[in-house]
Amino acid sequence: MTLANGPKSAAALFSSLLQSCIGSNAFRQGKSVHHRIIVAPSASPPDLHLSTKLVIFYSHFGDVAAARRVFDGMPHRSVVSWTAMVSAYAKNGRPHDALELFALMLQCGARPNQFTFGSAAKACAGARCARSGEQVHACAAKGRFAGDMFVQSALMDMHLRCGPVADASRLFAEMEWKDVVSWNALIRGFVERRHYGDALGLFSSMLRDAMVPDHFTFGSALKACGAVSALSNVELIHTYIIKLGYLDEKVVTSSLIDAYAKCRILSSARVIYDSMCEPDLVSSTALISGYSMDRNHSEDAMKLFCKIHQEGLIIDGVLLSSLLAICANIASIKFGAQLHAYMCKKQLMGDAALYNALVDMYAKAGEFSYARRAFDEMPHRNVISWTSLITACGKNGFGKDAVTLFDRMEEDGVKPNEVTFLALLSACSHSGLMNKGIDYFTSMMSKYGINPRVEHYSSAIDLLARGGQLDDAWKLVQKMNAEPNSSMYGAMLGACQVHGNVLLGETAAKNLFSMDPESSVNYAVLANMYAESCLWEDARRTRKLLAETSRGKEVGCSVI
């Protein structure tokens, strides 16, 4: 290549070509340009500007290794060069490399600009490293970019993702000028950290400050509304969406459908869905997920699935998981099996969440062998996978299989959670494995550091009571770090009747009477216990109390 104005004109042309390749996503052509740069008749390597453009080009297409090779070959680097490479790492999922390069930049005496600090802050967020974030924040505060809106927004986003929410809120309050991006960053951050009330309060402040929301604002605000079932807020936001003309935005419409569905106003969600010109996968999934929360709409969900399938809409694992959850709730093995066949046909079987939903569906339908087969076919199993099958074992009376599964789970290095132990204790209780169940209850605390919930105590107490260890069960009731509930005392009373422990049975009954004095069942159990122990006077007195408790209640009857 020969140009009238020499190497400078050649560099400008190559730079322009690379920018065109970036704009048109032409990676192969861009690599050809790079090759021409290398073989061009020039006595010197590419100039600073052209080398930086090459770093940006390779970064845009995710080839970070090629970008780094160009960067390392540069004899001189500007702040733009350093920033381009830091940004390349941050944008392509290599935050630790971005932070190492940022530290090297400082060691080399290069002074970061606002975009360098922005990329470094993004890397801290990606690495979930609050300490590095504080250091980047301190560097920015020492320089002249502490008040830059771009830097402040990046730092605020970083604090929301890996630091204290209060720091992000303080940064936002200190910003002299806030644009819609700043408001959106904080609202989205509140939602991601599950500070839903704060997110909605900030949205209200945004409106009071006469800041016009965009589709990102509405999406985050509606997600917060759905999470707390704030129907009045959903309706208010719906009004703003119509007023500002965002109802044609699919992202906003899908968020609106999801919010109404989570507030259990499925009729409104369906009206919005039907008003869409071309419903997409996201909106369809939002509506079907809403239907999955209400058994009365199970048929509507199935009809909607058939409709979108006939229309050729691509179905993903999230939507199928919702449908399988519906099948599990209504024990519809026929439709669930059809979904399973569809999954196999479309080769959608790589998703762990989808497999978990399939195991749960077959287990709740009573088809344990199919649940076990689906579990065995899973390429990767997480704690939910193991817990689902352990639960199925317990509900189908296979306590020993549940124990075997748990042992395999530990061998595979999967750490159980509190739900796993709840399923395991229940399986042991219903299969008479008292000693094994109590061992698991103990190891839950000593080995895995899981603090028992009331449900765990209930299962452990039920285990001991069923096994006749009434004194141990009562000691557990007394020393537990939660308030005993009626199910615990009920288990104690029932076990005392079976094992003839009148004294302890009376104590359990007194607690039950104080909790629910109108429950006739407890009086009946106590009376039967007295009768079985030949304490006829106590039985007569208790039956009298039973009659007084039942007085005024509607008598049961049968049409047979």
Side-chain angles (χ1 to χ4, degrees), residues 190-217:
F190 278 145
V191 172
E192 289 176 353
R193 297 287 287 269
R194 300 185 179 182
H195 292 237
Y196 303 118
D198 292 332
L200 293 175
L202 192 63
F203 177 72
S204 299
S205 299
M206 182 180 184
L207 297 178
R208 284 196 300 270
D209 282 8
M211 181 64 66
V212 180
D214 63 7
H215 55 289
F216 294 113
T217 323

Side-chain angles (χ1 to χ4, degrees), residues 241-526:
I241 289 170
I242 295 171
K243 183 179 178 181
L244 296 175
Y246 281 106
L247 204 54
D248 292 332
E249 289 274 357
K250 284 189 176 181
V251 174
V252 175
T253 309
S254 299
S255 298
L256 200 53
I257 291 169
D258 184 62
Y260 273 122
K262 286 177 178 173
C263 291
R264 305 298 176 92
I265 310 299
L266 293 166
S267 56
S268 296
R270 186 59 190 255
V271 167
I272 296 168
Y273 180 86
D274 290 337
S275 70
M276 297 178 71
C277 297
E278 294 182 3
D280 59 1
L281 180 62
V282 177
S283 56
S284 301
T285 302
L287 185 56
I288 288 177
S289 296
Y291 283 149
S292 70
M293 294 186 286
D294 190 335
R295 292 171 60 94
N296 296 324
H297 288 277
S298 300
E299 189 175 343
D300 293 327
M302 295 174 184
K303 287 180 178 178
L304 181 58
F305 170 74
C306 293
K307 177 176 179 291
I308 63 177
H309 179 241
Q310 289 170 0
E311 292 173 353
L313 195 67
I314 297 174
I315 310 299
D316 69 355
V318 178
L319 189 145
L320 286 170
S321 295
S322 295
L323 286 165
L324 287 169
I326 292 170
C327 295
N329 290 335
I330 63 173
S332 176
I333 185 65
K334 182 179 179 181
F335 190 71
Q338 290 175 345
L339 290 173
H340 190 181
Y342 175 86
M343 289 155 53
C344 295
K345 182 179 178 181
K346 298 295 182 180
Q347 296 183 338
L348 294 170
M349 300 302 293
D351 186 1
L354 193 54
Y355 264 112
N356 292 341
L358 192 63
V359 170
D360 187 58
M361 184 275 295
Y362 278 127
K364 287 182 178 176
E367 299 288 345
F368 181 75
S369 59
Y370 287 109
R372 184 61 186 260
R373 184 183 302 173
F375 177 84
D376 290 338
E377 290 174 355
M378 294 177 73
H380 305 288
R381 305 181 184 97
N382 56 24
V383 63
I384 299 173
S385 315
W386 291 95
T387 302
S388 296
L389 196 61
I390 289 171
T391 302
C393 287
K395 289 184 177 179
N396 286 276
F398 304 122
K400 291 183 179 179
D401 288 337
V403 169
T404 302
L405 271 173
F406 183 77
D407 292 340
R408 280 182 55 197
M409 177 182 177
E410 288 189 306
E411 289 171 4
D412 281 7
V414 180
K415 185 179 179 181
N417 59 22
E418 56 184 23
V419 182
T420 312
F421 279 106
L422 196 59
L424 195 59
L425 289 170
S426 177
C428 290
S429 179
H430 289 93
S431 301
L433 303 173
M434 184 195 74
N435 293 332
K436 201 71 177 173
I438 295 303
D439 288 343
Y440 286 135
F441 180 74
T442 304
S443 69
M444 178 181 73
M445 295 177 283
S446 60
K447 184 176 179 180
Y448 292 101
I450 298 174
N451 293 322
R453 300 196 321 239
V454 172
E455 295 86 354
H456 295 106
Y457 279 113
S458 291
S459 294
I461 290 165
D462 186 57
L463 265 169
L464 291 167
R466 284 173 183 259
Q469 304 292 324
L470 298 176
D471 290 335
D472 291 336
W474 185 245
K475 287 177 183 177
L476 188 57
V477 171
Q478 292 177 308
K479 75 175 185 179
M480 61 184 283
N481 57 2
E483 190 68 28
N485 57 26
S486 58
S487 67
M488 296 179 191
Y489 289 124
M492 286 296 304
L493 179 58
C496 287
Q497 181 193 353
V498 171
H499 296 284
N501 191 325
V502 176
L503 186 62
L504 199 51
E506 287 177 331
T507 305
K510 287 177 182 177
N511 283 282
L512 283 168
F513 297 155
S514 64
M515 287 181 172
D516 190 4
E518 296 185 358
S519 176
S520 57
V521 175
N522 299 324
Y523 289 97
V525 174
L526 182 62

Side-chain angles (χ1 to χ4, degrees), residues 16-47:
S16 178
L17 287 172
L18 286 169
Q19 186 59 48
S20 296
C21 292
I22 292 171
S24 57
N25 284 321
F27 181 61
R28 186 172 58 83
Q29 290 84 344
K31 286 189 72 175
S32 297
V33 172
H34 189 189
H35 177 71
R36 293 295 297 271
I37 293 169
I38 294 171
V39 300
S42 173
S44 59
D47 66 9

